[in-house]
């Protein structure tokens, strides 16, 4: 089921709507055309109750003022680009510096700030936007489509599609903070990642360029174990079949599988959440290209050229024991 309502005005007077997608099983997703935000995600449990599994604000103005990218669609480039610059085909591009000297999640002009056009396609929500050449420093007029739909009664799918008229870099993701049992922080959740390696970072949380093995380290989530501590790291996913990540609520009543066609996934445990949220109140599982890939040739390439189509899908599948 698809339903749309006016949500509110942003500080710059732009208006934002909320679109509710309800699955046949009664799972519900509230999504805004502002920032492609997943504001609410409620899942029915086996005992008939419903559980809110993402963090969110009440108003669009709070999202506009926030600094944690809560629930937002991220682009053109998720994660960090060192010194807010990269070179492509011999041309250097300077980006917005919104995290010290670095570019984070597309900068101040990232697509999390956009009010998308939107339309209904069956029971799916389709967001569209044309990012003009040079927006935030990124090259190319980029036509973006983000599609949200219930793939089955308990699986929310997000597909990303983009085309460009100039060589550019693209890396879109969804920045929801999940907590499958809000009586607890996410430190008591258990997690498994389909990753044999991770990308170590320096003091600025930028990758060193190495892909290190997780074996014998605190980054080894190949078998299910508690989250337990701070992480803000990219994991290199293997080609083995199965979910990229599986997260289990501390009370065991809800499980989430994240599937993706991307080479990496960022685990961020909400270590710096504050104000409206508590520290470690939610964690992100951001499917992605590796951070700073435009500057590290050894990493999988995020380059998209004219005539090519950027296409990616991430699914969030919920199940009850």
């Amino acid at each position: 089921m698809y339903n749309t309502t006016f949500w509110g005005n942003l500080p710059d007077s732009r208006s934002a709507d909320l679109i509710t997608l309800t699955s046949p099983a009664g799972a519900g997703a509230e999504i805004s055309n502002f920032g492609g935000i997943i504001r609410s995600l409620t899942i029915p449990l086996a005992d008939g109750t419903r559980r809110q599994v993402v963090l969110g604000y009440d108003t669009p103005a709070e999202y506009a003022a926030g600094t944690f990218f809560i629930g937002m669609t991220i682009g053109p480039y998720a994660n960090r680009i060192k010194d807010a610059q990269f070179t492509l085909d011999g041309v250097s591009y300077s980006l917005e510096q919104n995290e010290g000297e670095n570019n984070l999640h597309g900068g101040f002009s990232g697509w999390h700030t956009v009010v998308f056009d939107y339309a209904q396609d069956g029971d799916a929500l389709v967001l569209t936007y044309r990012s003009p050449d040079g927006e935030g420093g990124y090259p190319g007029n980029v036509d973006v489509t983000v599609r949200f739909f219930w793939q089955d009664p308990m699986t929310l799918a997000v597909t990303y599609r983009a085309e460009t008229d100039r060589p550019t870099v693209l890396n879109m993701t969804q920045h929801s903070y999940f907590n499958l049992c809000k009586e607890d922080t996410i430190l008591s959740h258990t997690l498994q990642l389909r990753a044999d390696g991770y990308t170590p970072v320096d003091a600025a949380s930028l990758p060193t360029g190495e892909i290190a093995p997780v074996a014998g380290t605190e980054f080894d989530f190949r078998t299910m174990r508690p989250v337990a501590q701070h992480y803000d790291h990219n994991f290199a996913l293997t080609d083995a079949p199965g979910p990229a990540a599986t997260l289990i609520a501390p009370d065991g009543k809800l499980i989430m599988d994240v599937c993706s066609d991307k080479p990496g996934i960022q685990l961020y445990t909400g270590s710096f959440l504050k104000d409206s949220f508590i520290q470690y109140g939610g964690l992100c599982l951001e499917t992605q290209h590796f951070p700073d890939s435009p500057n590290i040739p050894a990493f999988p390439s995020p380059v998209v050229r004219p005539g090519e189509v950027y296409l990616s899908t991430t699914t969030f599948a919920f199940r009850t024991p």
Side-chain angles (χ1 to χ4, degrees), residues 15-284:
S15 64
D17 292 343
L18 273 181
I19 301 92
T20 302
L21 307 180
T22 306
S23 81
E30 285 185 347
I31 302 160
S32 180
N33 62 325
F34 167 55
I37 294 164
I38 297 178
R39 178 185 175 270
S40 170
L41 191 56
T42 54
I43 306 299
L45 301 185
D47 61 8
T49 61
R50 300 175 61 82
R51 185 166 289 183
Q52 174 65 256
V53 299
V54 296
L55 304 187
Y57 293 110
D58 292 329
T59 67
E62 290 173 289
Y63 282 94
T67 58
F68 304 117
F69 303 94
I70 301 288
M72 292 173 161
T73 292
I74 303 298
Y77 201 91
N79 220 301
R80 297 170 175 88
I81 295 180
K82 184 178 181 179
D83 296 330
Q85 59 186 9
F86 67 93
T87 299
L88 178 57
D89 296 341
V91 180
S92 294
Y93 297 97
S94 294
L95 312 174
E96 296 171 342
Q97 296 178 323
N98 67 322
E99 189 192 49
E101 297 180 348
N102 305 314
N103 180 267
L104 175 65
H105 293 329
F108 299 112
S109 304
W111 298 343
H112 62 284
T113 68
V114 165
V115 174
F116 289 83
D117 293 327
Y118 71 95
Q120 180 177 357
D121 181 11
D123 286 332
L125 167 65
V126 181
L127 305 180
T128 56
Y129 176 63
R130 166 161 272 215
S131 176
D133 183 28
E135 183 176 55
Y138 287 88
N141 294 296
V142 181
D143 291 307
V144 184
T145 301
V146 186
R147 181 184 177 96
F148 297 87
F149 60 100
W150 288 103
Q151 191 175 70
D152 64 40
M154 295 277 275
T155 300
L156 183 68
V158 188
T159 63
Y160 308 95
R161 189 182 193 280
E163 295 181 86
T164 179
D165 61 2
R166 292 181 62 191
T168 194
V169 294
L170 292 173
N171 181 27
M172 299 183 68
T173 196
Q174 222 297 316
H175 208 287
S176 284
Y177 288 75
F178 293 96
N179 187 322
L180 305 187
C181 185
K182 290 189 176 177
E183 287 76 14
D184 296 274
T185 70
I186 52 77
L187 297 178
S188 52
H189 285 53
T190 51
L191 176 68
Q192 183 173 13
L193 298 174
R194 197 190 72 231
D196 290 337
Y198 76 103
T199 52
V201 296
D202 61 18
S205 295
L206 288 158
T208 63
E210 178 188 7
I211 301 176
V214 301
T217 75
E218 61 190 336
F219 301 98
D220 192 350
F221 283 94
R222 291 175 297 174
T223 57
M224 190 70 64
R225 68 179 181 84
V227 174
Q229 65 180 63
H230 161 76
Y231 291 95
D232 190 9
H233 294 81
N234 171 69
F235 290 77
L237 298 173
T238 71
D239 292 330
T246 297
L247 185 68
I248 302 179
D251 63 3
K253 292 183 178 181
L254 189 60
I255 302 167
M256 180 179 73
D257 295 318
V258 181
C259 292
S260 170
D261 47 27
K262 287 294 188 182
I265 190 167
Q266 185 87 5
L267 169 62
Y268 172 51
T269 54
S271 317
F272 305 108
L273 287 173
K274 59 182 181 179
D275 300 330
S276 299
F277 309 103
I278 63 169
Q279 186 183 31
Y280 300 115
L283 65 76
C284 301

Side-chain angles (χ1 to χ4, degrees), residues 296-319:
I296 303 177
F299 286 175
S301 174
V303 174
V304 181
R305 300 184 180 279
E308 299 176 347
V309 177
Y310 175 94
L311 189 63
S312 180
T313 297
T314 296
T315 60
F316 304 97
F318 297 89
R319 51 193 169 96

